[in-house]
Amino acid sequence: MNLLFCLGDILSDFRHLFNQQNFALFQAMICGFIANTHGGTLTRLYQSSFSETKYWSFTKFLSRGVWDVDAVAARLIEKIQEVFTHWVYVYDLTRALKTGKKQYGLHFFRNFKYQKGRLNQSKFHFGHEFAALGLLCQTATQWFLFPVWVRLIVPGKLRDKADAVLKRIFSRIPRGLVIFDRGFARRKVFQMLLALKHHILCRAKSNAVFYRIPKPPKRPGPGRPKKYGDRLNIRRLRYKVVSIMEKDSQVASQIVRTKMCPTEVRLVVIRRKPKPSKPYQYFLVFTTDLTLEIPQIVEYYRQRWQIETAFRDAKQHFGFNGYQVKSRKSINRFLQLSFVAASLTKLIFSLPETTEKRLSVEDVSKALGIHWYKPKKLTQGLRVAYLQAQIWRLRFSTSFKEKTNSQNIHTELQQDNALPFDKAA
């Protein structure tokens, strides 16, 4: 099956969320995000989408179109979860640098890469900050992370604060395990997610404190029972060798309590010694799901890094940094459509019914004429380049058929079909 027609079939699952005109514009914008080879501005997307509508229809679709961006994100999650049975959530923040003043939500945020030796960098950046949700899915051979939900964070606005955005996202998705980086290790965040019936897996900060579960007293005294026992010393835990990802590691695990979380958690500590003369280095991760095994906990957190590469791919290939719209609604809609295009590009290559024989790295490289780059698995750049080549090849053949009067054209070109996207009205 042609990948473009497979993409059209997936987009048809979003039909009930739009009226006829908005659905055509939705398809055209997704096609524009995929076919775009430039900065990702709205003008570039309009030129890449080959839409027969006017340019202003794109801006009205983002600013005044009657459609729910949260429903689009929720439908994308449902579609991916229909394909993959084993999945977890990954939540993180990302930023976009800007230079103007008329866009909604622009503010200064700290540049953590600043060093005193780098005189050409500032301690602060000016731009937007976003909360993003990824869906980490596992197959028999590899892991896939699909960026599925993104929202603008504005510290000074009550409805757009970080905690309000976090609650809005996780109150509208199915219950599951959520993976966080250590920057989110806060009691307020954990209380909110546990109230929504989600489980948490998070890395502990270097100054995190854990306590043993107190033993019940032989003679209960007056007052409330003791909640926290003795402070845990991770250096005195009993470590054993465990095989994780075909590599032996010294691991210790224990069910403990911490003031960051209102419930008991399973703490997993991995220690390693980089050099015989150096002291041990400790890696701590904890989860509220007490049924998870130790290798599974470590594997989940190691795969969390894929959301960082997903941010990079969205900014390089899907115009995440190139938006120039001004309002809050337009920014959220533009970036959500960017995430939809990035996820569907990855999804159509992982569907079992996409082709009779799944495309390999060699097949894609041969189709693109690439012989110097041989990765172990398909990258997002190769997926995008392959789809762009198909779109431009199909567009060239149809436009060539319409604009020529020659009688020497092959019948294959005369019978060629258009792209499986409806024409925008």
Side-chain angles (χ1 to χ4, degrees), residues 31 46 48-49 62-63 65 73-74 82 111 120 126 136 142 164 166 191 195 234 342 351 381 400 409:
C31 179
Y46 174 73
S48 303
S49 65
L62 294 175
S63 60
E82 290 173 2
N111 177 17
N120 60 337
F126 186 64
L136 183 63
Q142 59 181 324
L166 181 90
Q191 282 182 329
I234 61 174
L351 287 175
F400 182 76
I409 303 177

Side-chain angles (χ1 to χ4, degrees), residues 397-406 409:
S397 62
T398 54
S399 61
F400 182 76
K401 176 196 68 173
E402 295 172 357
K403 294 182 180 181
T404 184
N405 293 323
S406 174
I409 303 177

Side-chain angles (χ1 to χ4, degrees), residues 409-421:
I409 303 177
H410 296 291
T411 56
E412 293 84 11
L413 290 179
Q414 294 178 353
Q415 297 175 356
D416 202 356
N417 296 320
L419 280 174
F421 306 110

Side-chain angles (χ1 to χ4, degrees), residues 142-237:
Q142 59 181 324
W143 292 82
F144 294 98
L145 190 135
F146 301 92
V148 293
W149 209 315
V150 61
R151 283 295 171 275
L152 178 65
I153 294 177
V154 184
K157 301 294 182 179
L158 184 62
R159 64 180 179 182
D160 293 329
K161 285 186 176 180
D163 294 336
V165 172
L166 181 90
K167 185 176 181 180
R168 181 180 181 181
I169 291 177
F170 285 101
S171 61
R172 303 191 179 194
I173 60 177
R175 299 171 184 174
L177 178 68
V178 187
I179 304 175
F180 289 101
D181 196 9
R182 57 186 173 183
F184 296 93
R186 303 191 304 271
R187 187 178 181 88
K188 187 175 182 180
V189 173
F190 293 165
Q191 282 182 329
M192 183 188 304
L193 290 181
L194 291 175
L196 296 173
K197 308 300 182 182
H198 292 282
H199 279 297
I200 300 162
L201 193 154
C202 184
R203 183 180 175 184
K205 296 181 179 180
S206 59
N207 60 348
V209 179
F210 295 92
Y211 301 90
R212 299 182 185 274
I213 298 178
K215 297 180 180 180
K218 295 181 180 180
R219 295 181 180 179
R224 292 180 299 178
K226 194 175 181 180
K227 189 175 181 180
Y228 299 99
D230 299 332
R231 183 169 176 173
L232 185 69
N233 189 342
I234 61 174
R235 293 175 177 83
R236 295 184 179 179
L237 294 177

Side-chain angles (χ1 to χ4, degrees), residues 35-62:
N36 169 54
T37 56
H38 300 284
T41 61
L42 200 59
T43 303
R44 295 293 189 183
L45 296 183
Y46 174 73
Q47 295 172 347
S48 303
S49 65
F50 305 102
S51 176
E52 296 182 1
T53 185
K54 299 295 184 180
Y55 168 77
W56 297 110
S57 296
F58 274 49
T59 59
K60 293 177 182 178
F61 174 72
L62 294 175

Side-chain angles (χ1 to χ4, degrees), residues 117-344:
R118 299 180 179 178
L119 301 179
N120 60 337
Q121 289 197 12
S122 173
K123 290 185 179 180
F124 297 93
H125 285 323
F126 186 64
H128 285 135
E129 191 171 17
F130 302 96
L133 180 70
L135 198 61
L136 183 63
C137 305
Q138 184 182 18
T139 63
T141 56
Q142 59 181 324
W143 292 82
F144 294 98
L145 190 135
F146 301 92
V148 293
W149 209 315
V150 61
R151 283 295 171 275
L152 178 65
I153 294 177
V154 184
K157 301 294 182 179
L158 184 62
R159 64 180 179 182
D160 293 329
K161 285 186 176 180
D163 294 336
V165 172
L166 181 90
K167 185 176 181 180
R168 181 180 181 181
I169 291 177
F170 285 101
S171 61
R172 303 191 179 194
I173 60 177
R175 299 171 184 174
L177 178 68
V178 187
I179 304 175
F180 289 101
D181 196 9
R182 57 186 173 183
F184 296 93
R186 303 191 304 271
R187 187 178 181 88
K188 187 175 182 180
V189 173
F190 293 165
Q191 282 182 329
M192 183 188 304
L193 290 181
L194 291 175
L196 296 173
K197 308 300 182 182
H198 292 282
H199 279 297
I200 300 162
L201 193 154
C202 184
R203 183 180 175 184
K205 296 181 179 180
S206 59
N207 60 348
V209 179
F210 295 92
Y211 301 90
R212 299 182 185 274
I213 298 178
K215 297 180 180 180
K218 295 181 180 180
R219 295 181 180 179
R224 292 180 299 178
K226 194 175 181 180
K227 189 175 181 180
Y228 299 99
D230 299 332
R231 183 169 176 173
L232 185 69
N233 189 342
I234 61 174
R235 293 175 177 83
R236 295 184 179 179
L237 294 177
R238 296 181 179 179
Y239 290 86
K240 60 181 180 179
V241 178
V242 177
S243 179
I244 301 175
M245 296 180 63
E246 301 180 355
K247 185 178 180 180
D248 294 337
S249 303
Q250 295 186 21
V251 181
S253 175
Q254 191 167 346
I255 296 178
V256 296
R257 285 190 177 273
T258 175
K259 295 184 179 180
M260 295 180 292
C261 187
T263 62
E264 297 177 359
V265 298
R266 178 182 292 277
L267 175 67
V268 177
V269 184
I270 302 177
R271 72 176 185 182
R272 67 183 185 90
K273 185 175 285 189
K275 292 182 180 180
S277 60
K278 299 291 183 179
Y280 280 108
Q281 295 180 352
Y282 295 89
F283 174 86
L284 287 75
V285 62
F286 61 95
T287 178
T288 59
D289 190 353
L290 305 182
T291 62
L292 293 178
E293 300 293 334
I294 295 176
Q296 197 173 13
I297 294 173
V298 178
E299 175 69 9
Y300 279 155
Y301 192 82
R302 285 184 176 177
Q303 296 298 331
R304 189 211 68 87
W305 181 255
Q306 288 198 33
I307 196 170
E308 307 291 350
T309 60
F311 291 154
R312 178 203 61 194
D313 294 336
K315 293 174 182 178
Q316 287 184 352
H317 304 294
F318 298 98
F320 192 93
N321 263 348
Y323 61 93
Q324 295 179 349
V325 290
K326 297 180 180 180
S327 67
R328 168 182 175 269
K329 180 188 289 186
S330 298
I331 293 172
N332 280 326
R333 287 181 168 184
F334 186 95
L335 297 180
Q336 182 59 54
L337 294 178
S338 173
F339 267 28
V340 171
S343 295
L344 295 186

